[in-house]
Amino acid sequence: MAKFSLLEQPWIPVLQESRVREVGLAEALLEAHTIARIETPSPLEEVALHRLLLAVLYRALPLVRGGCDALELLEQGGFDRNALQIYLCRFCDRFYLFHDTAPFLQIPDLPDKDPLPWAKLLPELASGNNPTLFDHTTEENVPLASYAQAARALLVHQAYAPGGLLKRLGVTSAKDAPLARPAAFLAVGENLFQTLVLNLVPQKDPGVPVWELPPLRTQDVQGHATRWPLQGAARVYAWPSRGVLLLDEGCGVRKVAYGPGVEPLEVGFRDPMVAYRLGDKGQVLPLRLSVEKSFWRDFSAMLPAAGGSFPATLAHAVRVAEEMGLRLELRVLGQVSDQAKVLDVRREVYPLPQGFLSPEAEELLQKALELAERVGNALYGVAREVAKGVLGDKDQEELRRFQDSLPLLPLYWAALDGRFPRFLEGLAQPDAMDRWRGEVRQAALRAWEETRAFVGTEGRHLKGLAVGERAMGLALTHAQAREGRP
């Protein structure tokens, strides 16, 4: 029995005509030019839904071979309805959430012994190895998920499942899903149609997505029986990382059967949504988000001058948008994990100014980031001096704890988190660097003033602050005097 068509039933949340509603996959593509954007509070859902739509476009439309094809597509103002309808009609039987022989992105005969709560599929929900991030769901009290919720969770899990122990169907452990560790970069245009075109990076061979292949069965994943090369955007964007079967209760989903998925064979494919950097040993590594800091502080790692590379989506979108005079923003989205535990999920939004990829802009960006880090390092030393002034120089562990308790560095970086997007937006302006110097200095001084108020007023505290005051003046002078030097 086929039930809940992802093509027709509403499940993708979008912002359209100033209100949020859910639409089916077909409407999301056919009416993309009337939809402002996919609107979901979950950063992981945002990425996973865009990747599914892009995977369909890679197969339904003629291949985008370069910027000219993308410009031509944008000038049409909407996707080719006839081509989309023909493609979706051809594979409509493969887009049912529940289906006797081919449920979407699932394995129909997966054993349902020892089922797991559906919350297992979303890192934001507490379940199993997921720590409590944003809710207090327990495995004994799992709420019933609507079919739309379950469909989105399934998509997120297939894209973000972290590797680790599995112990099912002859498989002891499974590898990371494609986006389990890397940050994903999404260039966002003025409506969903523009966004999808801007992220439709030219591919020589986008690969064959899972819905165009014979449905996977349990025997195909048992003992890692099936291994596919991890390559081609259309295939990787809808990769069956885990064997999942949503167990229908008639009005929703509470449990899922669970097992291994297709084993990925690493073939050096670079995900178009991922930025890369050079590791210490010269290896190419994907850029990740960090619990400790905002992503903009790692912008320099993906600059070509530093041996890194921009994500293909960003490079493609900026070139096309500049030709069309479109306004762009960059969304950096993903999860932060430690081993198999997801510690955070994040969405960071930055403006993308004209000329962002020019050598001049890269040089300026590098210079600005180095200045911010240099002052940050100097403030770390200031905090150390304050701690020594207050406590003396005997117990190093106590010194470190006191130093870490000072709000100096957290306040400095928090202030720059809010100011960096403004600097990025004005990157092409002639006084951009002068204004950034002012922002950095002001952030440091305000953080110091707050720190002064935080430290006590006893004699030893005042002594520490006096030492810190001198260190602060020297730090700012020294940091800015070094600007431009290697």
Side-chain angles (χ1 to χ4, degrees), residues 26-48:
E27 185 177 352
L29 291 174
L30 293 169
E31 303 302 325
H33 56 290
T34 69
I35 294 171
R37 59 178 178 270
I38 289 175
E39 184 74 10
T40 166
S42 166
L44 309 190
E45 272 188 16
E46 183 176 348
V47 175

Side-chain angles (χ1 to χ4, degrees), residues 4 60 129 141 144 146-147 156 209 268 293 322-323 334 380 427 484:
F4 200 82
N129 209 29
N141 185 29
L144 196 67
S146 68
Y147 296 145
V156 167
K293 59 185 181 181
E322 287 184 349
E323 288 287 337
Y380 182 85
L427 200 60

Side-chain angles (χ1 to χ4, degrees), residues 33 61 69-80 193 324:
H33 56 290
L61 303 179
D69 287 349
L71 290 172
E72 190 176 322
L73 197 50
L74 282 172
E75 286 169 354
Q76 291 172 9
F79 294 119
D80 184 333
F193 167 68
M324 293 285 287

Side-chain angles (χ1 to χ4, degrees), residues 294-300 330 348-351 356 364-366 368-369 372 413-427 436 439:
S294 299
F295 182 78
W296 67 268
R297 291 174 60 187
D298 280 334
F299 261 46
S300 58
L330 170 65
E348 299 183 19
V349 181
Y350 300 98
F356 177 76
L364 191 58
L365 191 55
Q366 180 77 31
L369 294 170
W413 287 118
L416 291 186
D417 284 348
R419 293 168 188 177
F420 181 76
R422 195 162 53 198
F423 163 73
L424 203 56
E425 195 162 27
L427 200 60
W436 179 245
E439 297 281 19

